[in-house]
Coordinates of all heavy atoms in Angstrom, one line a residue:
S230 N 90.1 92.4 145.5 CA 90.2 93.9 145.5 C 88.9 94.5 145.2 O 88.2 94.0 144.2 CB 91.4 94.4 144.6 OG 92.6 93.9 145.0
E231 N 88.6 95.6 145.8 CA 87.4 96.4 145.4 C 87.7 97.9 145.6 O 88.7 98.3 146.2 CB 86.2 96.0 146.3 CG 86.4 96.1 147.8 CD 85.2 95.5 148.6 OE1 84.7 94.5 148.2 OE2 84.8 96.1 149.6
G232 N 86.8 98.7 145.0 CA 87.1 100.1 144.9 C 87.9 100.4 143.6 O 88.1 99.5 142.8
G233 N 88.4 101.6 143.5 CA 89.2 102.0 142.3 C 90.7 101.9 142.6 O 91.2 102.5 143.6
W234 N 91.4 101.2 141.9 CA 92.9 100.9 142.1 C 93.6 102.1 142.2 O 94.7 102.1 142.8 CB 93.4 99.8 141.1 CG 93.6 100.4 139.7 CD1 92.7 100.3 138.7 CD2 94.8 101.0 139.2 NE1 93.2 100.8 137.6 CE2 94.5 101.3 137.8 CE3 95.9 101.4 139.7 CZ2 95.3 102.0 137.0 CZ3 96.8 102.1 138.9 CH2 96.6 102.4 137.6
G235 N 93.3 103.2 141.6 CA 94.1 104.4 141.6 C 93.6 105.4 142.7 O 94.1 106.5 142.8
G236 N 92.6 105.0 143.5 CA 92.1 106.0 144.5 C 92.2 105.5 145.9 O 92.6 104.4 146.2
P237 N 91.7 106.4 146.8 CA 91.8 106.0 148.2 C 90.8 105.0 148.8 O 90.9 104.5 149.9 CB 91.5 107.4 149.0 CG 90.6 108.1 148.0 CD 91.1 107.7 146.6
D238 N 89.9 104.5 147.9 CA 88.9 103.6 148.3 C 89.3 102.1 148.0 O 88.6 101.2 148.2 CB 87.5 103.9 147.7 CG 87.5 103.8 146.2 OD1 88.6 104.0 145.6 OD2 86.4 103.6 145.6
Y239 N 90.5 102.1 147.3 CA 90.9 100.7 146.9 C 91.2 99.9 148.2 O 91.8 100.3 149.1 CB 92.2 100.8 146.1 CG 92.5 99.6 145.2 CD1 91.5 99.1 144.4 CD2 93.7 99.0 145.3 CE1 91.8 97.9 143.6 CE2 94.0 97.9 144.5 CZ 93.0 97.4 143.7 OH 93.2 96.3 142.8
S240 N 90.7 98.6 148.2 CA 90.8 97.8 149.4 C 90.7 96.3 149.1 O 90.5 96.0 147.9 CB 89.7 98.3 150.4 OG 88.4 98.2 149.7
V241 N 90.9 95.6 150.1 CA 90.8 94.1 150.0 C 89.7 93.5 151.0 O 89.7 94.0 152.2 CB 92.1 93.4 150.3 CG1 92.0 91.9 150.3 CG2 93.2 93.9 149.3
A242 N 88.8 92.8 150.4 CA 87.8 92.1 151.3 C 87.9 90.6 151.1 O 88.5 90.1 150.1 CB 86.4 92.7 150.8
Y243 N 87.1 89.9 151.9 CA 87.1 88.4 151.8 C 85.7 87.9 152.1 O 84.8 88.5 152.7 CB 88.1 87.8 152.7 CG 87.8 87.6 154.1 CD1 87.3 86.3 154.6 CD2 87.7 88.6 155.0 CE1 87.0 86.1 155.9 CE2 87.4 88.5 156.4 CZ 87.0 87.2 156.8 OH 86.7 87.0 158.1
A244 N 85.5 86.6 151.6 CA 84.3 85.9 151.8 C 84.6 84.4 152.1 O 85.8 84.0 152.0 CB 83.4 86.0 150.5
I245 N 83.6 83.7 152.6 CA 83.8 82.3 152.9 C 82.7 81.5 152.3 O 81.6 82.0 152.1 CB 83.7 82.1 154.5 CG1 84.9 82.9 155.2 CG2 83.9 80.6 154.8 CD1 84.8 82.8 156.6
A246 N 83.1 80.3 151.9 CA 82.1 79.4 151.2 C 82.4 78.0 151.6 O 83.6 77.7 152.1 CB 82.1 79.5 149.7
A247 N 81.5 77.1 151.5 CA 81.7 75.7 151.7 C 82.1 74.9 150.5 O 82.4 73.7 150.6 CB 80.4 75.0 152.3
S248 N 82.2 75.6 149.4 CA 82.6 75.0 148.1 C 83.5 76.0 147.4 O 83.4 77.2 147.5 CB 81.3 74.7 147.3 OG 81.6 74.5 145.9
P249 N 84.4 75.4 146.5 CA 85.3 76.3 145.8 C 84.5 77.1 144.7 O 85.0 78.0 144.1 CB 86.3 75.4 145.1 CG 85.6 74.0 145.1 CD 84.8 74.0 146.4
L250 N 83.3 76.7 144.4 CA 82.4 77.3 143.5 C 81.4 78.3 144.2 O 80.6 78.9 143.5 CB 81.7 76.3 142.6 CG 82.6 75.3 141.9 CD1 81.7 74.4 141.1 CD2 83.7 75.9 141.1
G251 N 81.6 78.5 145.5 CA 80.6 79.3 146.2 C 79.3 78.7 146.5 O 79.2 77.4 146.4
P252 N 78.3 79.4 146.8 CA 78.3 80.9 146.9 C 79.1 81.5 148.0 O 79.2 80.8 149.1 CB 76.7 81.2 147.0 CG 76.2 79.9 147.8 CD 77.0 78.9 147.2
F253 N 79.7 82.6 147.8 CA 80.6 83.2 148.7 C 79.9 84.3 149.5 O 79.3 85.3 148.9 CB 81.8 83.9 147.9 CG 82.7 82.8 147.3 CD1 82.6 82.5 145.9 CD2 83.6 82.0 148.1 CE1 83.3 81.5 145.3 CE2 84.3 81.1 147.4 CZ 84.2 80.9 146.1
E254 N 79.9 84.2 150.9 CA 79.3 85.2 151.7 C 80.4 86.2 152.1 O 81.3 85.9 152.8 CB 78.7 84.5 153.0 CG 78.1 85.4 153.9 CD 77.7 84.8 155.2 OE1 77.7 83.6 155.3 OE2 77.2 85.5 156.1
R255 N 80.1 87.4 151.7 CA 81.1 88.5 152.0 C 81.2 88.7 153.5 O 80.1 88.8 154.1 CB 80.8 89.8 151.3 CG 81.8 90.9 151.4 CD 81.3 92.2 150.7 NE 82.3 93.2 150.7 CZ 82.6 94.0 151.6 NH1 82.0 93.9 152.8 NH2 83.5 94.9 151.4
I256 N 82.4 88.8 154.1 CA 82.5 89.0 155.5 C 82.9 90.4 155.8 O 82.1 91.1 156.4 CB 83.6 88.0 156.1 CG1 83.3 86.6 155.8 CG2 83.7 88.2 157.6 CD1 82.0 86.0 156.3
E257 N 84.0 90.9 155.4 CA 84.4 92.3 155.6 C 85.7 92.7 154.9 O 86.4 91.7 154.3 CB 84.7 92.5 157.1 CG 85.8 91.6 157.6 CD 86.1 91.9 159.1 OE1 85.5 92.8 159.7 OE2 86.9 91.0 159.7
K258 N 86.1 93.9 154.9 CA 87.4 94.3 154.4 C 88.5 94.0 155.4 O 88.3 94.1 156.6 CB 87.4 95.8 154.2 CG 86.5 96.3 153.1 CD 86.6 97.8 152.8 CE 85.6 98.3 151.7 NZ 85.8 99.7 151.4
I259 N 89.7 93.7 154.9 CA 90.8 93.4 155.8 C 92.0 94.2 155.4 O 93.0 94.2 156.2 CB 91.2 91.8 155.6 CG1 91.4 91.5 154.2 CG2 90.1 91.0 156.2 CD1 91.9 90.1 154.0
L260 N 92.0 95.0 154.3 CA 93.1 95.9 154.0 C 92.5 97.1 153.4 O 91.8 97.0 152.4 CB 94.1 95.2 153.1 CG 95.4 96.0 152.7 CD1 96.2 96.2 153.9 CD2 96.1 95.2 151.7

Side-chain angles (χ1 to χ4, degrees):
S230 297
E231 56 188 38
W234 68 267
D238 62 336
Y239 202 50
S240 52
V241 175
Y243 83 102
I245 298 176
S248 162
L250 306 180
F253 295 99
E254 179 184 355
R255 187 185 189 278
I256 305 300
E257 63 180 349
K258 292 184 181 183
I259 55 174
L260 183 64

